[in-house]
Amino acid sequence: MKKHPLYIGVMAGLLSLTATLPLQAANQTVAPTTLNQPSRQQEAIESKIQNLLAQMSIQEKIGQLALRDWGTFDASDMKSIKQAVREGRVGGFLNVNFSSVDKNAFEELQRIAVEESPLGVPLLFGQDVIHGYETIFPIPLGQAASWNPELIKNGARVAAQEASADGIRWTFAPMIDISRDPRWGRIAETLGEDPYLTSTLGVAMVEGFQSGNLADPTSLAACGKHFAGYGAAEGGRDYNSAYIPERLLRDIYLPPFKASIDAGMQSIMSTYSTLNDVPGTGSPFLFKQVLREEWGFDGFVVSDWNAVMEMVPHGFARDAKHAATLAANAGIDMEMHTDTYEQFLPQLMDEGQFSEAQLDTAVANILRVKLRLDLWNHPYPRAKSKAERAQIIRNDQFRDTAKAAAKETFVLLKNDNRVLPLKKGQSVAVIGPLADAAHDQLGTWIYNGDKKHSRTLLPALREMVGDTGEILYAAGLDYSRDTRTRGFKAAIKAAKKADVVLFVGGEEAILSGEGHSRGDIRLPGAQAELVAELSKTGKPLAMVLMAGRPLQLDQTLQQADAVMMAWHPGTMGGPALADVLYGETSPSGRLPLSWPVGAGQIPIYYNHLATGRPASEDNYTRIEKIGREVFQHQPGNSSNLLDYGHKPLFPFGYGLTYSEFEYSDLELSDTTLDANGQLTVSATITNTGKTAATETAQLYVRDQVGSVSRPVRELKGFERLTLEPGESRQVNFSLKASQLAFHNTDMEAVIEPGEFRVWIAPNAESGLEAGFTLR
Ligand code: BGC
């Protein structure tokens, strides 16, 4: 491509930009990295690090790199664990479940570290505080459906306050892996398929955990994971190979990490998977080149659990010693669970395979974060007594925040005949395995979550209508995979008696999350059969789905009049759902990913390339319409699946409310954009329905022609607007030319002049469209 005269100038600007701004989220406010602008406090930290390093033995230095759990030791041998801490051979512990073990044991370990280890460096306690600590919030994918950074920030803040009460100061979150594959069980932990949305929400989560002031004793250091490409596990099989061309990696998979680091995120976890045939945990490209050299990251890198040793079965490391060499030289500062660093680093240093300068760098990276957390002044759990703990953990305010969050995560997918909201006075037959599933509504990763604190939907509905007998209940199936139909009879009987049927089904918590992928993403067990039977009663049928992923709905979608996706909504899921089902609030969630027709359509994502033969409704024939023995080309040759078509079931960004919205008056402040300029794109949104509701207006662009083929649409902004019936408001998005940058085949971030399309839209498949020229 011929480079525009301005191109060089733009490039120069961009290249310096890439040091501080994420490409995909260039209009976000980001904090400058402390590395580039040392403050006085930072200087004090650096000098304390040097001071400590000067006094540390090699063994103590290596000790700082050790993140241990009970599995590393013989857990019954507390004496030797304490001795390891006393000798400075442990830098931190992970996933010490404070509610199920003797909490004092950990306070005692910290006391030993602080008072008896050679230099008194405090231990760092980390845990997977993924969507709440004891007050469980909706799963991250559900939180992402809120498209509300504030909500996500508040949730992370609550989690941090609870976890720090127990002495945890580091969380293995946010998970900012992009995934385009709902078979992958860990999609439940992601923030969806889009780099802009994931960047924005990931940054919000980091801000919530870290509170803008790491030294605040309620702060947790955040850990972005899993670097990089874990979400692209082949076939959705967890831990599997990821093949991502570097260009795509830089445009789609890396921006959320860059954005989170620019927002001050303190640590990064390596991926289990291989990325283009190299295990992430042994990749100098990822950790040395991208993370340190290109981005100037100054926090620390931790391996995933056992990931150093897993380079042996990967066929990348010969043995434990080789694995330690590869990980340490790739830039993995801290080793989680295994102890290959302790075992082999001294020898590797004698052999010249790893230097003391490298060791010092790794230790400094870890000490820097410990110092920023001010662990020296706050080494112990924040709650000093049971009573103090009780005031913090699961307090009313936190539960209210969790409920408010859940309410914004529900996505109304269908609502024929306005079956929803339910009306008081109607009798409702509540049926299905998840209406009263205290454990399953919590979702994956809940170390400290306990079903005894869950508020489920069934009692919440009863509470909502009072003592009217309007709520009938027959589960029909005991759990989501239940195939026994013995409960059908009672369920159908209840359905016949009621004015409306509310089916609450989906997936149990255990069907998503780590190591829990599915090849068949239909409703498990006999749920589809049960819904089919219920629809035969002719009663209006609303369906609430709780699941860690979008599900293949098949004929169930036709049988239900209304469908609401509730993800796994957490501790307060029941009351939150009851409020929305009865219309106290309109649903406002939007899909953070494309909802596939079926598993055979995966990977499916909105920001795909166009293909030479894009499918449209009129250039292909559905399988049932193809005549017998017709000529090969007759039904049309375009990029589609004969049975599933060419579109997802529901597009990215989609979600209904109890009202209607109209988009009008799309305007651009100019029809041309200079390479260092910006445009304002505006439209008027009107609530044309009868209820107050929240609409999420989305800004998309398409670069018509590029030196590489460009996505059909890319999200560049969004705004949530709550409007009263009849109310109109203008949305104004500023679109900077720098947001149009992408990586070319030379891996340069470039902006290329040319024609662009732009939309303000309610989802990735519709909206008002205009164009502009980038000069
Ligand atoms: C997961 C990580 C998690 C770590 C510690 C691993 O199996 O992949 O996401 O943070 O365990 O529990």
Side-chain angles (χ1 to χ4, degrees), residues 591-621:
L591 293 177
L593 37 58
S594 307
W595 188 299
V597 174
Q601 209 183 21
I602 294 167
I604 186 152
Y605 47 96
Y606 85 94
N607 47 2
H608 58 84
L609 304 185
T611 85
R613 297 192 182 183
S616 68
E617 283 314 304
D618 47 20
N619 68 5
Y620 82 102
T621 315

Side-chain angles (χ1 to χ4, degrees), residues 94-95 128 172 186 189 225-226 230 239 269 272 304-305 336 445 447 514:
L94 81 141
N95 291 343
D128 291 279
F172 307 132
R186 299 197 79 171
E189 295 173 52
K225 66 191 191 184
H226 306 77
Y230 185 45
Y239 316 120
M269 190 185 292
Y272 280 129
D304 202 344
W305 193 91
M336 192 193 293
W445 273 129
Y447 272 115
E514 186 176 345

Side-chain angles (χ1 to χ4, degrees), residues 434 441 457 504-507 544-548 565-569 577:
L434 288 160
Q441 75 179 33
L457 179 57
V504 191
E507 282 183 345
V544 170
L545 293 173
M546 291 186 191
M565 180 60 175
W567 317 98
H568 287 130
L577 264 168

Side-chain angles (χ1 to χ4, degrees), residues 411-415 419-420 422 431 457 500-506 523 527-528 530-532 534 540-546 551-566 577 581 595:
V411 185
L412 184 62
L413 299 171
K414 174 179 180 183
N415 194 16
V419 168
L420 292 177
L422 300 170
I431 291 161
L457 179 57
V500 54
V501 179
L502 182 67
F503 177 82
V504 191
L523 278 167
Q527 294 183 82
L530 177 55
V531 173
L534 295 172
L541 173 58
M543 186 157 94
V544 170
L545 293 173
M546 291 186 191
L551 298 170
Q552 175 171 338
L553 294 177
D554 298 329
Q555 73 286 357
T556 308
L557 181 64
Q558 279 73 51
Q559 290 158 355
D561 298 288
V563 180
M564 177 129 72
M565 180 60 175
L577 264 168
L581 287 170
W595 188 299

Side-chain angles (χ1 to χ4, degrees), residues 410-569:
F410 308 140
V411 185
L412 184 62
L413 299 171
K414 174 179 180 183
N415 194 16
D416 287 357
N417 310 318
R418 296 188 185 277
V419 168
L420 292 177
L422 300 170
K423 285 119 208 128
K424 291 198 180 151
Q426 281 179 327
S427 58
V428 185
V430 179
I431 291 161
L434 288 160
D436 199 19
H439 171 78
D440 289 313
Q441 75 179 33
L442 297 178
T444 185
W445 273 129
I446 46 150
Y447 272 115
N448 289 57
D450 189 328
K451 69 174 184 177
K452 67 175 187 268
H453 306 300
S454 291
R455 302 269 313 271
T456 63
L457 179 57
L458 180 66
L461 290 171
R462 289 191 171 130
E463 207 170 294
M464 181 68 95
V465 298
D467 198 13
T468 57
E470 280 164 21
I471 304 296
L472 315 172
Y473 176 60
L477 293 162
D478 287 352
Y479 60 107
S480 76
R481 288 164 296 156
D482 195 353
T483 51
R484 298 161 305 172
T485 55
R486 61 181 184 193
F488 280 26
K489 213 169 143 197
I492 294 161
K493 196 170 158 204
K496 284 184 175 160
K497 244 167 96 180
D499 297 324
V500 54
V501 179
L502 182 67
F503 177 82
V504 191
E507 282 183 345
E508 296 149 74
I510 198 66
L511 300 188
S512 56
E514 186 176 345
H516 296 247
S517 297
R518 294 182 67 200
D520 176 352
I521 57 166
R522 289 176 296 179
L523 278 167
Q527 294 183 82
E529 259 176 276
L530 177 55
V531 173
E533 289 304 318
L534 295 172
S535 80
K536 286 186 198 154
T537 64
K539 294 292 168 97
L541 173 58
M543 186 157 94
V544 170
L545 293 173
M546 291 186 191
R549 59 165 68 78
L551 298 170
Q552 175 171 338
L553 294 177
D554 298 329
Q555 73 286 357
T556 308
L557 181 64
Q558 279 73 51
Q559 290 158 355
D561 298 288
V563 180
M564 177 129 72
M565 180 60 175
W567 317 98
H568 287 130

